[in-house]
């Protein structure tokens, strides 16, 4: 289900998460990234032009609980838990394709999964930088 991200989605997810934490504390590195729940998925599609019985994926989002160990430049190890969310829109148009991620520390899927925030996040506005 992560083929829309790229050919190596798992290392990409870790790299993206590491970039988020490195923006908070420069030089932070993820030591361990463990998925601790089943993922929640939401997708959206449009009928294929030539075959209306088939759909073309235009948006997708996944959220899952995770435990992350992060090493800071001063040698400290920080253990964090929360929900990692990744959403992609305009997946049928390489020029407009965009993705966004959220890391909700202390969060749970009941709040950030398919019955919560994921519903809005799969429809994020590409121009919205909030």
């Amino acid at each position: 289900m992560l083929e829309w991200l790229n050919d190596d989605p798992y290392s990409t997810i870790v790299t993206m998460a590491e970039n988020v934490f490195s923006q908070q504390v420069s030089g932070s590195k993820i030591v361990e990234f463990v998925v601790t729940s089943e993922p929640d998925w939401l997708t959206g599609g449009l009928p294929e032009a030539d075959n209306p019985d088939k759909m073309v994926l235009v948006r997708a989002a996944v959220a899952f609980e995770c435990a992350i160990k992060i090493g800071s430049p001063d040698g400290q190890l920080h253990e964090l838990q929360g929900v990692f969310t990744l959403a992609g829109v305009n997946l049928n148009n390489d020029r407009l394709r965009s993705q966004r991620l959220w890391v909700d520390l202390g969060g749970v899927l009941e709040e950030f999964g398919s019955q919560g925030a994921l519903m809005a996040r799969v429809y994020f506005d590409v121009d919205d930088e909030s």
Side-chain angles (χ1 to χ4, degrees):
M1 282 292 294
L2 290 171
E3 291 85 17
W4 56 270
L5 184 56
N6 66 24
D7 291 337
D8 189 8
Y10 305 107
S11 66
T12 299
I13 286 172
V14 173
T15 299
M16 291 172 79
E18 190 170 77
N19 289 340
V20 167
F21 292 114
S22 187
Q23 289 173 8
Q24 301 298 314
V25 176
S26 183
S28 295
K29 297 287 181 192
I30 290 182
V31 175
E32 184 176 68
F33 188 106
V34 178
V35 176
T36 59
S37 74
E38 290 293 320
D40 273 2
W41 295 93
L42 290 176
T43 59
L46 295 172
E48 226 177 60
D50 300 348
N51 187 350
D53 292 333
K54 290 190 176 183
M55 299 294 282
V56 175
L57 184 67
V58 296
R59 64 182 67 252
V62 61
F64 51 82
E65 293 177 6
C66 60
I68 306 170
K69 290 183 182 174
I70 301 172
S72 60
D74 64 4
Q76 291 185 4
L77 187 64
H78 305 275
E79 296 185 28
L80 308 172
Q81 294 183 349
V83 176
F84 181 93
T85 302
L86 182 61
V89 297
N90 300 318
L91 300 177
N92 60 328
N93 185 325
D94 289 339
R95 188 176 57 78
L96 298 176
R97 179 183 296 235
S98 183
Q99 54 200 27
R100 182 162 296 158
L101 72 90
W102 296 259
V103 180
D104 297 290
L105 297 178
V108 294
L109 275 182
E110 288 77 18
E111 183 178 2
F112 294 101
S114 61
Q115 300 301 310
L118 192 61
M119 184 60 75
R121 290 176 174 179
V122 75
Y123 287 99
F124 78 85
D125 184 352
V126 176
D127 296 324
D128 180 18
E129 293 300 321
S130 61

